[in-house]
Amino acid sequence: MDIDPPRWWHILKIRVLWYLPREPRKKIKIFLRLGDEYDQLGEERLANYCYDLSKKLAQDAGTIHLLKKINQRLQ
């Protein structure tokens, strides 16, 4: 019996990842990958939340090439 975890569990996982100490580029890529996974599962709101967090990190870090990737996925 496969049961999907509740939505609050996904949000908690995303918030824990936000506060873990990592390089901004690695963290951006993690959030992009998570956003892609949620997008494939049909969870559009969670995917956009991950993309927004990665966009905020990319703007703070000044990584223009990652910002372009994020903007492509948000459109």
Side-chain angles (χ1 to χ4, degrees):
M1 192 187 264
D2 243 357
I3 299 175
D4 292 333
R7 172 169 267 183
W8 64 267
W9 177 252
H10 294 292
I11 294 171
L12 179 67
K13 182 171 87 171
I14 292 169
R15 290 195 178 155
V16 167
L17 285 172
W18 177 260
Y19 289 108
L20 284 177
R22 293 190 183 203
E23 283 186 45
R25 291 176 192 252
K26 287 185 180 181
K27 203 181 275 193
I28 291 167
K29 291 179 182 179
I30 289 171
F31 282 123
L32 283 176
R33 193 172 336 116
L34 267 177
D36 292 341
E37 288 176 16
Y38 290 137
D39 194 33
Q40 288 178 352
L41 293 173
E43 294 285 342
E44 189 175 327
R45 291 178 67 190
L46 284 173
N48 286 334
Y49 182 61
C50 289
Y51 293 146
D52 288 338
L53 290 176
S54 62
K55 186 174 183 177
K56 182 178 177 184
L57 280 172
Q59 287 172 343
D60 291 344
T63 53
I64 296 170
H65 64 285
L66 289 174
L67 265 174
K68 290 179 183 178
K69 283 184 180 181
I70 296 165
N71 287 330
Q72 288 174 351
R73 290 179 176 154
L74 282 172
Q75 290 178 354

